[in-house]
């Protein structure tokens, strides 16, 4: 086994090394680094990168990676883990989703070395980390003002991505190739199959969702034969392609009556919209039966504001309802 090289630094076989990789500069002309841990196994195997906080305020993944770092024994690892604890350190320090210029880093991969700040940071991450890997897992939460049920996002038309998504072990998998510029899409296009685990909301450490994500990462590493982890299996798995956000028709103050993981019937009240005086303006009702996978966390809405992410289950609904009665989906 040779030493593993990353950004001009070397990590010995059977060892763990904490590194700082330069990606940009602050207004003060001081360099910007991202914290990265490399765990280089004692035996050959795949190279897997795991990223958190590509959006600086999405921090559940940060704690998943910290816990993963603590539980992987380099002497028992086959292959190499590149753990990017905080991919967007600039936005992380300001506790914001986007970069100071207003750009979303996760729309600029694989990046350009002479483009905007977002493009340059994306290029640095892509060149120094993604392109030296074989597989990837990108960790996210919902955007500001929303919360999501734990789920995996993957292009299920790809056999390799399907294998990774199923191995992760989430009950819900969204069949989504991803938008242009997203890390997982750019990486997969470049030959580094990458999936996304998305759970919870920004600026929180949500212990149950973090534990669920850590189990999923370990499941993938076990499936890739990198570690002999005890695998966990879901009671069921459904692949979702038919989904939509229910939106407010009027501005007002909501009383949301559902949460992620709920199964609701067609015509059920999702939220009651009211005036500041408490007078009811109207009700947002489910246009079909389905599973709630996301809701707003902000009661104030404008016309068109997203309120509830509802997925259609069709003929799977009765079976799923029975399964959820025995083992409810993880959420907090």
């Amino acid at each position: 086994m040779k030493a593993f090289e990353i950004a001009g630094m070397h990590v010995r076989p059977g060892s763990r090394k904490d590194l700082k990789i330069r990606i940009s500069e602050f207004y003060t002309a001081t360099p910007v680094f991202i914290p990265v841990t490399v765990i280089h196994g004692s035996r050959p195997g795949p190279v897997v990168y795991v990223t958190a906080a590509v959006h600086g305020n999405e921090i559940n993944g940060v704690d998943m990676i910290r816990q993963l770092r603590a539980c992987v024994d380099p002497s028992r690892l086959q292959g190499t883990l590149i753990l990017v604890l905080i991919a967007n350190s600039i936005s992380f320090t300001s506790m914001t989703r986007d970069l100071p210029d207003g750009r979303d880093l996760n729309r600029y991969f694989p990046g350009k070395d002479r483009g905007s700040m977002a493009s340059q940071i994306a290029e640095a991450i892509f060149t120094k980390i993604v392109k030296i890997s074989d597989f990837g897992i990108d960790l996210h939460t919902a955007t500001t003002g929303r919360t999501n049920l734990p789920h995996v996002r993957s292009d299920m038309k790809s056999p390799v991505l399907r294998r990774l998504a199923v191995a992760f072990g989430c009950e819900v998998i969204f069949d989504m190739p991803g938008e242009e510029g997203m890390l997982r899409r750019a990486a997969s296009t470049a030959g580094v199959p990458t999936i996304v685990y998305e759970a919870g909301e920004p600026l929180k450490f949500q212990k149950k969702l973090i534990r669920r994500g850590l189990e999923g990462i370990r499941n993938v590493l076990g499936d890739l034969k990198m570690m002999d982890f005890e695998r966990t299996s879901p009671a069921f798995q459904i692949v979702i392609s038919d989904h939509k956000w229910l939106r407010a028709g009027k501005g007002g103050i909501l009383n949301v009556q559902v949460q992620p993981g709920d199964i609701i019937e067609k015509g059920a009240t999702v939220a009651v919209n009211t005036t500041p005086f408490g007078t009811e303006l109207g009700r947002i009702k489910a246009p079909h039966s389905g599973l709630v996978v996301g809701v707003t966390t902000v009661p104030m809405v404008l016309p068109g504001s997203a309120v509830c992410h509802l997925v259609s289950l069709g003929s799977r609904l009765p079976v799923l309802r029975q399964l959820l009665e025995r083992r409810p989906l993880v959420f907090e």
Side-chain angles (χ1 to χ4, degrees), residues 87-244:
N88 186 347
S89 53
I90 296 176
S91 298
F92 180 83
T93 55
S94 62
M95 296 186 290
T96 57
R97 175 183 175 89
D98 297 332
L99 289 160
D101 61 2
R103 288 181 168 89
D104 180 342
L105 177 59
N106 204 31
R107 296 297 185 275
Y108 284 86
F109 289 97
K112 298 178 182 178
D113 61 358
R114 295 184 182 276
S116 65
M117 170 186 255
S119 195
Q120 291 185 38
I121 292 174
E123 193 272 341
I125 293 171
F126 206 81
T127 301
K128 296 177 180 180
I129 294 166
V130 175
K131 291 180 72 173
I132 63 173
S133 304
D134 299 306
F135 305 98
I137 302 173
D138 190 21
L139 305 173
H140 286 264
T141 74
T143 190
T144 303
R146 300 179 188 175
T147 188
N148 279 336
L149 186 75
H151 65 270
V152 167
R153 298 184 178 188
S154 174
D155 183 355
M156 299 297 278
K157 294 185 292 296
S158 161
V160 178
L161 287 170
R162 175 179 286 272
R163 173 187 168 185
L164 294 178
V166 170
F168 197 96
C170 261
E171 291 85 356
V172 177
I173 301 171
F174 277 86
D175 183 6
M176 303 169 69
E179 296 179 28
E180 193 75 29
M182 285 184 172
L183 172 56
R184 68 181 172 96
R185 176 165 173 170
S188 298
T189 300
V192 186
T194 298
I195 61 172
V196 159
Y197 171 68
E198 183 140 349
E201 59 186 291
L203 295 177
K204 288 186 177 181
F205 278 165
Q206 296 167 289
K207 293 181 180 180
K208 291 180 182 179
L209 306 186
I210 290 168
R211 183 168 63 248
R212 187 69 188 82
L214 179 60
E215 289 173 354
I217 298 168
R218 288 162 57 108
N219 283 344
V220 171
L221 298 182
D223 188 73
L224 293 173
K225 305 293 190 296
M226 295 178 69
M227 285 292 293
D228 188 21
F229 286 126
E230 182 178 347
R231 304 269 300 277
T232 59
S233 299
F236 63 89
Q237 277 190 323
I238 55 174
V239 177
I240 300 296
S241 56
D242 180 15
H243 57 96
K244 64 180 294 185

Side-chain angles (χ1 to χ4, degrees), residues 43-90:
R43 291 169 290 173
V47 178
V48 175
Y49 76 88
V50 187
T51 47
V54 169
H55 295 129
N57 61 351
E58 298 181 8
I59 66 173
N60 271 335
V62 175
D63 207 41
M64 291 176 214
I65 295 181
R66 294 196 305 179
Q67 293 186 36
L68 180 65
R69 178 192 176 283
C71 73
V72 173
D73 181 351
S75 67
R76 297 177 55 198
L77 180 68
Q78 293 186 206
T80 305
L81 281 175
I82 305 175
L83 306 179
V84 186
L85 293 97
I86 302 168
N88 186 347
S89 53
I90 296 176

Side-chain angles (χ1 to χ4, degrees), residues 248-264:
K250 296 176 177 292
I253 301 173
L254 290 183
N255 176 11
V256 179
Q257 300 187 359
V258 297
Q259 70 171 1
D262 287 348
I263 287 182
I264 58 176

